[in-house]
Amino acid sequence: MEKFDVLIIGGGPIGIACAIEAQKKNLKYTIIEKGCIVNSLYNYPEGMSFFSTSEKLEIDGIPFISKNAKPLKAEALEYYRRIVTSRDLRMQLFEKVTEVKRLNPGFEVHTSKGAYLADNIVVAIGFYDLPNLLNVPGEELPKVAHYYNNPHFYARQEVAVVGASNSAVDAALEIYRKGGNVTMIVRGDDIGERVKYWVRPDIINRIAEGSIKAHYNTNITEILEDRIKLRGPEGDFELPNDYVLALTGYQPNFAFLENLGVELSKDALRKPIYNEATMESNQPGVYLAGVVCGGMKTNEWFIENSRVHAGMIAESIALRK
């Protein structure tokens, strides 16, 4: 088995940043990524624009040139792919980590394609793989999706969009504009305050004029083939329905962290415990980077404010060599 100073799990922007910093410190590294380069970004909706400006998405000061003030998904994919190829970063793609064994010292990492030895591990897995489920009867039906890509599919369909965050609002507006009949199901009493400031007035106005229907303080209680059952302030009711987009957010892979022995906070946020100066967890040699550090508070860490994790981690590992 090949041995590395550091094995980075996750090939998103922060995983890439960690590889660049390891490269600078002359550390032997590799990235293990279960999908394509920046796999999570690849699975974002086709027309998505970022909240951040392009310079805040940059890695290692490499300029990110965008045609728009808020870069599009396609531009971000091109940017990060070019970094990987131009820096000749070592990355194992479409290879999933299946098991991590603690050795003394180091780790033995098994994947879907092989096995590796590593003195240190960086967990930069993000949070986009595990959706927050509705946990209602019928959620397993084919008509239910927790990810959204393109509005064309939903034209002339009765579509329930569950949620009131950026992803839910973007989907509702795009589907409405492609001819879908959209109803938003919102657990709270308003559209989320963190919705992109240039989009929030649009959705509020579409709801006010009746182009998009919205039911606040309402939850789905059951999903059926041709309708959904709901419970709101005035009691139980039903709506005709062809598709349900449950865009209720996502969460980190806590089971993976716990299998590594990473301690999580005892409250509902389940934040992993780590040294804020080095990003090393309570498990020696296991480092955390990016959004995974926030636990259930997935809006705490972004590309723009967690890029610094990469340098902190590389410095800590280099000092031990």
Side-chain angles (χ1 to χ4, degrees), residues 157-178:
Q157 300 296 293
E158 295 285 345
V159 183
V161 177
V162 186
S165 62
N166 277 297
S167 56
V169 167
D170 285 345
L173 288 168
E174 290 181 7
I175 292 169
Y176 151 67
R177 293 195 165 106
K178 294 299 182 182

Side-chain angles (χ1 to χ4, degrees), residues 90-104:
R90 180 161 183 177
M91 181 182 284
Q92 316 298 121
L93 297 172
F94 301 100
E95 186 167 349
K96 183 177 181 180
V97 173
T98 56
E99 184 182 15
V100 178
K101 294 181 179 180
R102 164 74 74 173
L103 305 177
N104 286 305

